[in-house]
Amino acid sequence: MTEQSSTEHLIEEMFDEAEFVRAGDLVTGEGRLDGYTVSIIGTADRAYIGADVALAMARCVLDIMHDKPARPILIIVDNSGHRLGRWDELMGNNGCIAHLTKCLYAARQRGHRVIGLVNELAVSAGFMALGMSTDACYALPAAEVRVMALGAMARVTKIPLDRLTELCATSPVLGPSVENFMRVGALAGVWSGDLAGHLRAELSKLTKPNDDRRQLGHERGGRMAALDVARRVRAGAEA
Amino acid sequence: MIPPRHSYLEASARSRLAGILDAGTFREYCGPKARQTSPHLPGLGMPVAFDDGIVVGEGRIDSRQVLIAAQEGGFMGGAIGEVHGAKLAGLIERALDIRPAAVVLLLDSGGVRLQEANAGLIAMGEIQRAIFDARTAGIALIAAIGGRNGCYGGTSIVARSCDVIVASEEGRLSISGPEVIEEVDGIEEFDARDRALVWRTMGAKHRRLIGEIDTLVRDDMTAFRDAIANHIGDSRSMDLDALEAEHARLADRLLRFRDVGDARDVWARLGVNDPDRVSDIETNEFNALVDTLEGEGR
C-alpha cells in the first residue's frame, strides 16, 4: 500500500467519518461532521493542474450540482499551479481551468457553500481557479501560497534575490507566504489546532457571504489602493 | 478608394479605443488626470504610468452603449497589478449598475505583474468573478486579442471566462509563455525561439480551429470593430445544461487528441487537408476552411 498523502490524512483528521477515493492526484468523496455532510474535492502531493485534472475536478462539481443540491463543498487545495507543457497548451488548459472556475461559480449560485482550504501549496493559476473561486478560502499554518518561487521571480524581474527577500519582508503584495496572502485579503484566515471546530464554525454560517476580499485586503493593510480605485470606477467617476 | 489599413497590433490602447468606438463617444473613468499610479513600483525603483497601463470607460459601438477597457501593452507588458486590476474589476462590476449592451475587453497582457504579484493574482480572481456576475445578469462579455503581448497567464483564463473571443491571426492565447515552458520542460520539448512552433501552439488560428476563439479577423482596426459589433448581445448561458455542453466539448477534445504532440496533427485530425499551409493562408481563406470543417466550434 502506498503512503497516504497529507490531503487524505487531513480529511480523516477533520471529519467524524469520511469516505473518499484517490485517482491519480485527485481525492474525492464525502465527510460527515456533526449533522453536516460535506462533499470533498481535493488534490494531493502538490499536483499540477493540467487540462485533464481541471476537467476531472469540473466533472465532480457538475455531479455534485446534479446529485446533491445545496450540499456544502470543501475544496482541499494542494497544487504547484498549472501544468507546463506543450500538450496542455495545445489543448487550451486556460479554457479548461476557466471552465472549472465557472462550475464552482455556478455551484455557489445554486446554493452550495464552497469552502477552500490550502493544505500544502497553492501556486498562481492553481490558487486563482480553486482558492479565489470559493466563498472563503483558508490555509493551514504551514501552507505556502505564491505566484512564483522567489528564485524564479528574481530572475524574471531582475531584482537580486537578496534584495527581493528583503522587500518581501515589508511588502505584502510581493512575496510568497500565508501571512502575505492574508494581508492582501486572499485568505480569510488560518486554520490551526481544532480543524473540525474551524470547519463546523464555517458550515454553521447561515448567510452566503459576499466576496469581501477587497475589503479584507484594505482592513488588513495589504492592499490599500484596490478598494477605492474599484469603487470610483464602478461609480463612473472621471477622477 | 480603399482606405489605408490601420493595424490593431501596432496601435496603442487609446488608439484602439478610438478605432473601436463611435467617434467622440468615449468617456474615461479614473483617467490620467486622476494620477492613479501603482503604489508599489516606486519602491522597486521602477517608473509608473498615470493610467497604470489600462484605460477604462464607456462609449458607444453602432450607437449601443458599452463599457470598455484597453490594456496598454507598452507599459509593463500589459501586466495586471493592484490598480490596473482594480480598474478592470470595477469596470465590469459597473455593468451590474448601468446594464450596457456589452462589456468589451481589449486584452494585451502577459498576466500577473510580478512586481506586485499577490495583488495581481487576487485581482485576477476578482475580475473573473465580476465577469461571471455580469454574464449571469445577461450582459455579454467580449474579449479581443491582437496585441504584441498576446493574452497569457491569468489574463488567458479571464479571456476564456468571457462569452466571446475575437482575435486577429497575430493574436496568441495561452496560459504559459514559451520561455517558461522551455525553461521547465527543456528546449527539446519546447523551443521558445521557434516562432513557427509558438505560433501554431498558441496562435489564434489554432485556437479558432479547436473552438477556443469565436471570430478570427485580419489585423485591422475596422475588422476588429465590425466583429465586436456583430457579437454585441451574444450572451452564452451559464446554467447547468450549458456547463454540461461545454464540459462535453472540452472532454471530447482531450480524448480525441490525447496522443497528439503537434498542432498540425490536431488540424489533420479535424479534417484539414493540408495542415502545413494553415500558417500561410490569408484570413478569408482560413475562415472559409473553418466553415467547411464540422464538429468543433462552440
Side-chain angles (χ1 to χ4, degrees), chain A residues 41-176:
Chain A
I41 304 173
T43 50
D45 297 336
R46 306 183 170 204
Y48 285 92
I49 310 296
D52 49 351
V53 179
L55 280 199
M57 296 184 88
R59 182 70 261 160
C60 292
V61 181
L62 290 165
D63 289 343
I64 293 166
M65 283 191 270
H66 285 297
D67 302 335
K68 315 284 180 194
R71 177 180 283 183
I73 302 172
L74 175 68
I75 308 283
I76 300 180
V77 183
D78 189 16
N79 67 64
S80 304
H82 67 277
R83 192 198 287 144
L84 287 157
R86 193 200 282 213
W87 185 79
D88 286 287
E89 296 303 334
L90 273 175
M91 292 299 104
N93 197 9
N94 60 311
C96 295
I97 290 174
H99 172 64
L100 166 59
T101 312
K102 207 185 297 169
C103 290
L104 287 167
Y105 177 89
R108 290 203 323 276
Q109 293 290 114
R110 294 164 65 91
H112 297 266
R113 197 162 164 69
V114 180
I115 304 161
L117 178 60
V118 182
N119 171 20
E120 288 187 26
L121 180 65
V123 177
S124 207
F127 183 74
M128 180 181 170
L130 294 160
M132 290 300 296
S133 58
T134 55
D135 289 308
C137 188
Y138 296 84
L140 297 185
E144 165 120 314
V145 184
R146 64 176 180 234
V147 170
M148 194 181 267
L150 271 190
M153 199 183 251
R155 282 199 300 280
V156 179
T157 60
K158 300 184 172 64
I159 303 169
L161 185 57
D162 292 355
R163 171 87 179 120
L164 193 60
T165 310
E166 201 180 289
L167 287 164
C168 284
T170 54
S171 172
V173 301
L174 195 54

Side-chain angles (χ1 to χ4, degrees), chain B residues 242-260:
Chain B
L243 292 177
E244 283 289 358
E246 168 86 341
H247 193 88
R249 191 177 73 85
L250 295 172
D252 178 63
R253 178 193 301 163
L254 264 47
L255 190 65
R256 193 174 176 191
F257 305 118
R258 69 186 157 190
D259 57 338
V260 160

